[in-house]
Amino acid sequence: MKPLYPISLVTIFICLSGIAQGAEPNPSMNGSGLITLLGNTRPEATQTNDRGPVADNLAMDHMLMQLKRSLVEERAMDMFLDSLHDPKSPNYHHWLTAEEFGERFGESQTAIQEVTTWLESNGFTVNGVFPSRMAIDFSGSASQIRTAFHTSIHRLLVNGQAHIANTSDPTVPEAIARSVSGIVSMHDFRPQPLNIPRAPQYTFSPFGSLYEGVVPADLATIYNINPVFEAGISGQGQTIAVIENTDLYSNSDWTAFRKAFKLSQYATGTLTTVHPEPKSGPHNCADPGVVWGNDLEAALDAEWASAAAPSAGIVVASCRDTTTFGGLLALENLLNSPNPPGIVSLSYGECEAGLGAAGNAAYSAAYSLAVAEGVSVFVSSGDSGAAACDNHQYWAYYGVNASGMASTPYNVAVGGTDFGDAFAHTTGEYWNLDNSPEYASALSYIPEIPWNDSCASTLLALAYTGSPASAGPNGFCNSSTGEYYISTAAGSGAPSTCANGTTSLPVGHSGSCAGYPKPSWQKGILGNPNDGVRDLPDVSLFAANGVWGHFYVFCYSDPFGGGWPCSGPPSTWSFAGGTSFSSPIMAGIQSLINQKTGSLQGNPNYVYYQLANQEYGSTGSDVCNSTNGNVVGSSCTFYDVTLGDNDVVCSYGNNCYGSDNVPNHRRLVRAEPWIYGILSVQMFAAEPAYPATTGWDFATGIGTVNVANLVSHWPMQW
């Protein structure tokens, strides 16, 4: 049976400037003295989804007025951040405090006073200004928003779920517009956790092999962490903060995880939950309690960060959602505190177009502050292939998009892989039939492929049909078996295309969105396109959820969130995958580097790409090709994943090739028989988005890591 088509998907990307119910005319050019803050409306705020205005007295608490720099000031900041990572610069590793950063690169006190005075004159309560001087926390009501910003807050019904959101871009007086990006946020749409449970509908048993649950000792074998542990480096003295909008269901889950997998022998490893508040500024971080479902994310983040760095202090930093996502509040507050953590991991996602101009600016500003402080930020690249706006959907519709929470130039975007042993019929070479006392069974490094659960995967198509064809009436996606793989679950990677979030237009049109410029450290790496924009991901790690027989094991006992008690052997525990795992693990790996070097590292991409350039050169490295598996070169820092892709299935819409064999942007009603296509760089040609290739690629970035070599090859002068 075909899956039901999600409600209202065909309407979500309708242009929102003046169409949605309650929208105000654009006054930016009519001499009224008002400027429209473009790109500050959710794409779901359409006439189709509109259910009328909210009550005037609806409280809108702790919104963030996101401030902005001029282009000249932004360039000056980027040059300064580059100099912090240049051993030849006098600024090298001279990290700033949040206050120092605010003085040098934040908005002026005069401009901030102008904005706060205007807010207060319109009845808003100004709760405070962050020391970094890039955001103002304020609260008010729906009626005050309508009066001040000339936009209405309406109730929406989207895919059967109730939401609220502003129906048009807000306006502000021209006198303050030069200092303002927009408001974060005037809606209740939240970023999604990036984890995918093990899916029981998979009928594919990889050539009769047993399913292999990956545990911490497997991770240490596969990615060669054991030599680092044996050298006494396991994260002592390091702090890794995982950003959440929930508390853990139970701290005992983390304890049970460490005990079962023999991590408790690292006595210095600790777990702390904090609801951070900055030294000065707004007080906006309330204890969120346990948010069912999201607490699963918190559990795996804390546990698997500890798996990679068992002696590190793990801090669960969480704030309750207000009108703003609680995770963003926790991040801002941590970074604006006197002692920010050395490493941060964030495993939530939202596409650039969905975040909008203010949302993208908020994460960019927060991460740039982190880099200036020496803090390394790791963010999951996403779990929907190159279709970040279609996360957790059956198929892609909105085309190629990147996660705005991962696409800034100031963070490491961590993608996902699977193991390729089942595809190659070599499982017996890489896994023991019996487990060790730590429940491990991996024997060595295992060849990797991009994580991809979708029928658009050429490797799945080959395994089932002997042909890589997925699209069209005779393709794998349209076969009786391929129907089990109608999914967008795959490690994400794509170019930044809509960081300014200025418009969301219907299928078949072009908009004025633009991506982040390509950062200096990403230029010139083999395989990276000369596209002028930031490309994702940077690096990858295993993130699969079972389609080829491999997934992660973790302890999550919340029965309301679908968890299982962790009282028995780990084979009875929870299983899942997703880049939610790869990000905290990579954060843990970075803590080993920080411990060895004895210093903070800021944005590690400067070194990752330097080392990858040395390894791949202009032609790639045959000895470091992941397909070599257990005979891969012993000196490799990165394993170059070159087999497979992260392409996903699409119905009709942007970048969809082979669906119904009609011009896809003209197809408005789905008819039987359903014919699925594949996400393609071109609408009318098959250029899958995206294959794994030599060197850097959109499927896995620069590849996965040999941790011992990464630690030993890290330049000490850095």
Side-chain angles (χ1 to χ4, degrees):
M1 178 179 177
K2 297 286 185 182
L4 295 177
Y5 195 78
I7 299 172
S8 299
L9 278 179
V10 297
T11 65
I12 290 180
F13 261 37
I14 291 176
C15 182
L16 301 173
S17 181
I19 286 184
Q21 182 177 345
E24 299 288 340
N26 185 338
S28 59
M29 298 295 182
N30 64 7
S32 67
L34 296 178
I35 299 294
T36 299
L37 301 175
L38 297 173
N40 282 272
T41 308
R42 285 291 306 189
E44 299 88 350
T46 66
Q47 288 180 320
T48 301
N49 296 332
D50 200 321
R51 297 299 182 270
V54 301
D56 279 354
N57 63 354
L58 177 72
M60 306 286 285
D61 291 329
H62 295 291
M63 296 172 282
L64 300 182
M65 179 73 87
Q66 191 63 41
L67 306 178
K68 67 179 179 182
R69 306 177 185 91
S70 69
L71 292 177
V72 172
E73 293 167 336
E74 193 78 9
R75 178 55 183 155
M77 183 198 69
D78 286 339
M79 293 177 65
F80 174 76
L81 296 182
D82 284 346
S83 73
L84 289 175
H85 299 83
D86 181 0
K88 299 178 182 178
S89 169
N91 293 325
Y92 174 65
H93 280 199
H94 287 179
W95 314 115
L96 303 180
T97 65
E99 289 79 7
E100 290 170 337
F101 183 83
E103 291 173 4
R104 293 189 62 170
F105 301 111
E107 190 53 274
S108 70
Q109 294 286 18
T110 299
I112 289 172
Q113 186 59 54
E114 290 175 349
V115 176
T116 56
T117 298
W118 179 81
L119 287 169
E120 290 171 342
S121 72
N122 280 276
F124 294 106
T125 299
V126 174
N127 302 309
V129 181
F130 291 99
S132 60
R133 298 188 193 174
M134 290 303 296
I136 301 170
D137 185 309
F138 71 105
S139 300
S141 67
S143 63
Q144 289 169 335
I145 286 176
R146 184 176 63 249
T147 300
F149 294 109
H150 301 92
T151 185
S152 297
I153 308 299
H154 279 223
R155 293 176 289 110
L156 306 176
L157 187 65
V158 182
N159 294 338
Q161 295 184 340
H163 287 281
I164 64 168
N166 54 299
T167 56
S168 62
D169 285 338
T171 65
V172 295
E174 187 174 4
I176 66 170
R178 65 181 183 276
S179 302
V180 176
S181 289
I183 298 91
V184 188
S185 59
M186 296 190 292
H187 58 76
D188 66 353
F189 290 89
R190 300 287 176 248
Q192 295 179 323
L194 295 173
N195 57 74
I196 305 287
R198 177 185 165 192
Q201 72 267 25
Y202 293 149
T203 59
F204 179 59
S205 178
F207 307 103
S209 66
L210 296 173
Y211 280 83
E212 301 287 351
V214 174
V215 302
D218 290 322
L219 186 85
T221 295
I222 295 165
Y223 292 121
N224 200 29
I225 311 177
N226 286 320
V228 184
F229 291 163
E230 292 164 2
I233 298 172
S234 54
Q236 295 94 325
Q238 307 303 307
T239 300
I240 305 168
V242 294
I243 305 300
E244 315 291 345
N245 66 338
T246 178
D247 292 342
L248 292 168
Y249 173 72
S250 173
N251 286 7
S252 63
D253 286 353
W254 185 82
T255 303
F257 179 87
R258 284 174 57 88
K259 181 178 179 181
F261 298 124
K262 312 300 182 186
L263 300 175
S264 54
Q265 63 180 297
Y266 298 94
T268 62
T270 59
L271 174 68
T272 308
T273 298
V274 300
H275 312 300
E277 296 279 8
K279 181 179 179 181
S280 62
H283 296 283
N284 54 18
C285 187
D287 184 344
V290 175
V291 179
W292 295 337
N294 286 17
D295 62 332
L296 181 152
E297 181 64 58
L300 70 88
D301 286 348
E303 290 168 15
W304 279 93
S306 187
S311 293
I314 307 301
V315 174
V316 177
S318 65
C319 295
R320 186 178 66 199
D321 289 336
T322 63
T323 310
T324 302
F325 172 50
L328 177 57
L329 297 178
L331 178 66
E332 288 277 17
N333 290 348
L334 271 184
L335 296 176
N336 280 279
S337 67
N339 297 297
I343 298 170
V344 165
S345 177
L346 182 62
S347 292
Y348 287 76
E350 176 68 89
C351 68
E352 289 177 335
L355 277 178
N360 288 313
Y363 288 98
S364 178
Y367 299 164
S368 64
L369 168 62
V371 175
E373 294 176 320
V375 178
S376 302
V377 179
F378 294 83
V379 187
S380 301
S381 69
D383 291 355
S384 51
C389 290
D390 296 287
N391 198 44
H392 295 173
Q393 298 298 324
Y394 283 122
W395 52 74
Y397 173 72
Y398 299 130
V400 174
N401 287 277
S403 169
M405 299 177 75
S407 64
T408 88
Y410 311 115
N411 65 277
V412 178
V414 189
T417 65
D418 203 337
F419 297 129
D421 53 306
F423 174 77
H425 302 261
T426 57
T427 298
E429 295 181 23
Y430 294 101
W431 302 92
N432 264 323
L433 292 178
D434 299 318
N435 289 324
S436 72
E438 296 84 15
Y439 298 97
S441 56
L443 296 171
S444 68
Y445 176 70
I446 303 170
E448 293 177 89
I449 57 179
W451 166 44
N452 193 346
D453 292 357
S454 176
C455 62
S457 162
T458 56
L459 300 187
L460 279 175
L462 280 167
Y464 275 110
T465 70
S467 167
S470 296
N474 299 317
F476 179 54
C477 285
N478 295 291
S479 68
S480 58
T481 303
E483 286 184 353
Y484 288 100
Y485 299 90
I486 301 300
S487 170
T488 58
S492 286
S496 173
T497 57
C498 201
N500 65 3
T502 56
T503 188
S504 301
L505 291 169
V507 174
H509 294 72
S510 61
S512 58
C513 289
Y516 289 109
K518 191 178 294 294
S520 60
W521 38 263
Q522 196 169 54
K523 295 177 181 178
I525 182 76
L526 176 67
N528 187 258
N530 187 25
D531 54 8
V533 297
R534 167 81 161 109
D535 296 312
L536 275 64
D538 298 307
V539 65
S540 295
L541 292 171
F542 173 73
N545 65 320
V547 69
W548 289 100
H550 312 298
F551 45 74
Y552 279 108
V553 180
F554 64 108
C555 179
Y556 174 61
S557 61
D558 183 357
F560 300 102
W564 297 85
C566 304
S567 54
S571 58
T572 67
W573 292 10
S574 297
F575 310 116
T579 55
S580 278
F581 288 89
S582 53
S583 180
I585 291 170
M586 200 66 209
I589 291 169
Q590 185 62 40
S591 77
L592 308 179
I593 295 169
N594 286 19
Q595 181 186 346
K596 182 190 176 185
T597 60
S599 63
L600 301 175
Q601 295 297 317
N603 187 350
N605 276 324
Y606 288 89
V607 180
Y608 292 167
Y609 279 82
Q610 179 199 37
L611 294 175
N613 262 313
Q614 293 172 0
E615 182 168 297
Y616 296 148
S618 60
T619 59
S621 172
D622 291 338
V623 298
C624 296
N625 192 314
S626 175
T627 56
N628 292 323
N630 53 18
V631 295
V632 71
S634 60
S635 62
C636 301
T637 301
F638 298 101
Y639 300 125
D640 189 6
V641 180
T642 60
L643 178 67
D645 56 69
N646 70 338
D647 197 20
V648 296
V649 62
C650 57
S651 175
Y652 56 95
N654 285 322
N655 304 116
C656 188
Y657 171 76
S659 170
D660 286 346
N661 298 315
V662 299
N664 296 294
H665 64 280
R666 297 177 186 170
R667 169 71 70 174
L668 297 179
V669 179
R670 167 59 76 184
E672 294 285 357
W674 293 26
I675 299 177
Y676 294 102
I678 61 171
L679 197 67
S680 175
V681 175
Q682 295 192 40
M683 180 79 78
F684 303 107
E687 292 190 24
Y690 288 96
T693 59
T694 299
W696 187 96
D697 53 62
F698 287 110
T700 62
I702 54 179
T704 60
V705 297
N706 179 314
V707 175
N709 289 341
L710 180 65
V711 173
S712 65
H713 294 167
W714 199 271
M716 291 303 293
Q717 72 268 23
W718 288 75

